[in-house]
Amino acid sequence: MFRSRCQPRPGWQQQAAEYGFHFHTMYGEPYWDESAYYQFTLSQIENDLEDPTTELHQMCLHVVDKVVNDDALMRRFAIPEPHWDMVRHSWLARDPSLYSRLDLVYSGQGPAKLLENNADTPTSLYESGFWQWLWLEQQVDRGVLPRQADQFNSLQEKLVARFAEISTHYVTPQFHFACCKDTEEDRGTVQYLQDCAEAAGLHTDFVFVEDIGLSDTGVYTDLENRPITDCFKLYPWEFMLREDYAGALQGAAVNWLEPLWKAILSNKALLPMLWEYFPNHPNLLPAFFADALPASLDGKWVKKPLFSREGANISLLDEGQEQVLSEGPYGEEGFIVQQYHPLPKFDDNYTLIGSWLVDDQAAGISVREDSSRITQDLSRYLPHIIV
């Protein structure tokens, strides 16, 4: 694995605008960066990333099964008690899921280490499934990359196939897609998923989360007063379960993507539970609940809230001293601590691997880098190749 400088495609920004990739630059800073790429060997992909991703995912599902059957664990995961039965039913009914992303620390030598599971609302999907593949094809055609260059990327075909499978679970092939207003990246992600769903033969509609209404009969509706029966929402369950309309969730009987059991899988309480059930697993870092630390906690540890987004509210614990690394609004529900494992550095850039799953299948990777030790929403996205 190494970082290689590369000549960007001429006029790629214009092409991005034509393809609807409007968030390649955010707040005047580059988000998509094709001035370099990361190169992997096939062995690194298959043995160090793909296989561990599949195994880690199954371990995470094991935790979900334990949590839904234990009230004390449901409380530990800060799931609001009025919704416990809904979460349990969602899991026991095996409500279908669509996709997720594991964040891994990997330097080119295994084992990769799991930092967290983005199982509910992961973004950077469009650039992973489509845009970096287009970059690869065009750079190969231009002779910038070798003809044999490949990419670990079956995201788009797996998403289309998964939408086709999911549609068979529901009465209607009509799907709503939703995200919040004023989030260009979220809107682009949802539009990409809409396109994948339509390629699978589904009929789709879009509605902003803020515009979803509740009818007198307890049914959620869009702006045209059409009932919402099946909906992909790029809006986290930890928010939804605490909104004013949360009490109507059960009666509204919506088939949600992601399903409600993902509220457990996307929760950082997952990390100490993984360590408890699979201690010393090579792809895990030691992790504990912050209010139940072992008597001896030597070295460096990272403190994370149960719920946080884009690297917010992270602190470094070093021999009892706490250093705040990132601010944010999270932490009320509690914290976990995870053993510090530094991100590898390539040309002064700290690099993080996102390993994608569609349903239960590993489907590709994304590479993000930043000049700081924490990967956040504006961290740069670089393409990758396999040679």
Side-chain angles (χ1 to χ4, degrees):
M1 174 181 176
F2 62 88
R3 186 183 192 272
S4 179
R5 295 192 179 276
C6 180
Q7 179 184 356
R9 294 166 293 168
W12 70 262
Q13 293 93 338
Q14 180 181 348
Q15 187 177 41
E18 294 169 355
Y19 277 96
F21 187 16
H22 301 299
F23 52 94
H24 59 76
T25 302
M26 293 190 281
Y27 308 105
E29 296 294 329
Y31 165 64
W32 168 265
D33 183 357
E34 59 181 72
S35 65
Y37 61 85
Y38 282 82
Q39 180 170 317
F40 299 82
T41 67
L42 186 60
S43 175
Q44 288 172 326
I45 292 293
E46 292 181 340
N47 300 326
D48 294 346
L49 297 174
E50 183 177 12
D51 289 347
T53 291
T54 302
E55 183 177 0
L56 285 167
H57 177 64
Q58 292 302 318
M59 291 159 55
C60 291
L61 296 182
H62 175 82
V63 173
V64 176
D65 195 58
K66 296 295 185 181
V67 173
V68 298
N69 290 295
D70 188 320
D71 287 355
L73 289 178
M74 292 284 271
R75 192 170 287 112
R76 255 301 189 194
F77 276 66
I79 306 295
E81 189 169 349
H83 305 303
W84 285 359
D85 286 344
M86 279 199 304
V87 175
R88 289 187 176 119
H89 180 268
S90 175
W91 173 250
L92 295 175
R94 294 300 189 267
D95 287 346
S97 67
L98 181 61
Y99 76 118
S100 57
R101 190 190 74 233
L102 304 182
D103 285 348
L104 304 175
V105 182
Y106 182 65
S107 65
Q109 295 182 334
K113 298 290 187 178
L114 175 68
L115 286 187
E116 58 189 61
N117 190 342
N118 298 277
D120 189 15
T121 58
T123 53
S124 73
L125 184 67
Y126 169 83
E127 48 273 40
S128 297
F130 174 74
W131 189 253
Q132 71 166 340
W133 182 259
L134 181 66
W135 167 87
L136 173 67
E137 289 184 327
Q138 293 181 342
Q139 293 291 57
V140 168
D141 290 343
R142 294 178 60 229
V144 175
L145 296 174
R147 180 62 57 182
Q148 71 272 24
D150 200 359
Q151 198 173 83
F152 180 32
N153 189 357
S154 59
L155 253 176
Q156 184 160 302
E157 63 191 71
K158 281 186 167 66
L159 285 169
V160 173
R162 184 58 178 159
F163 270 119
E165 293 171 357
I166 287 173
S167 68
T168 65
H169 289 259
Y170 301 147
V171 175
T172 171
Q174 186 76 23
F175 266 75
H176 278 82
F177 287 76
C179 69
C180 290
K181 297 179 178 179
D182 302 321
T183 53
E184 196 164 35
E185 182 182 5
D186 287 5
R187 185 66 187 95
T189 300
V190 170
Q191 183 60 60
Y192 176 60
L193 284 169
Q194 260 188 276
D195 293 342
C196 290
E198 290 175 358
L202 280 71
H203 303 289
T204 70
D205 288 303
F206 177 81
V207 60
F208 284 113
V209 168
E210 296 90 335
D211 292 332
I212 294 176
L214 184 65
S215 72
D216 294 339
T217 58
V219 174
Y220 290 127
T221 59
D222 62 17
L223 285 175
E224 304 298 324
N225 288 322
R226 292 172 297 195
I228 297 175
T229 57
D230 309 296
C231 184
F232 173 88
K233 47 83 190 169
L234 198 67
Y235 192 66
W237 276 113
E238 64 261 29
F239 292 177
M240 289 182 68
L241 294 180
R242 290 163 173 80
E243 300 280 7
D244 292 339
Y245 57 72
L249 282 167
Q250 186 165 3
V254 178
N255 296 308
W256 295 103
L257 283 179
E258 297 295 325
L260 187 48
W261 58 264
K262 284 287 190 86
I264 296 171
L265 208 58
S266 62
N267 189 314
K268 290 180 185 62
L270 176 76
L271 300 172
M273 296 307 302
L274 283 169
W275 188 250
E276 178 177 334
Y277 291 128
F278 306 97
N280 301 312
H281 188 281
N283 296 117
L284 294 178
L285 294 167
F288 306 95
F289 289 101
D291 60 0
L293 298 178
S296 175
L297 198 67
D298 298 327
K300 294 182 179 181
W301 296 77
V302 177
K303 181 180 175 183
K304 303 177 180 181
L306 298 190
F307 305 130
S308 70
R309 319 204 73 75
E310 306 291 0
N313 295 99
I314 303 296
S315 298
L316 179 67
L317 305 180
D318 188 358
E319 304 298 341
Q321 300 298 313
E322 183 170 348
Q323 175 190 356
V324 175
L325 300 180
S326 61
E327 303 286 350
Y330 306 101
E332 180 180 346
E333 292 79 13
F335 291 84
I336 63 98
V337 297
Q338 183 182 52
Q339 188 178 69
Y340 175 69
H341 193 90
L343 296 179
K345 230 179 167 182
F346 295 85
D347 295 345
D348 294 326
N349 300 288
Y350 293 96
T351 301
L352 180 72
I353 304 295
S355 189
W356 294 91
L357 293 119
V358 176
D359 190 22
D360 296 328
Q361 301 178 62
I365 61 168
S366 52
V367 183
R368 303 284 298 278
E369 66 175 29
D370 205 295
S371 56
S372 76
R373 290 177 288 177
I374 299 178
T375 306
Q376 302 190 40
D377 55 344
L378 297 182
S379 299
R380 295 177 301 280
Y381 188 111
L382 275 73
H384 78 277
I385 68 170
I386 304 170
V387 173

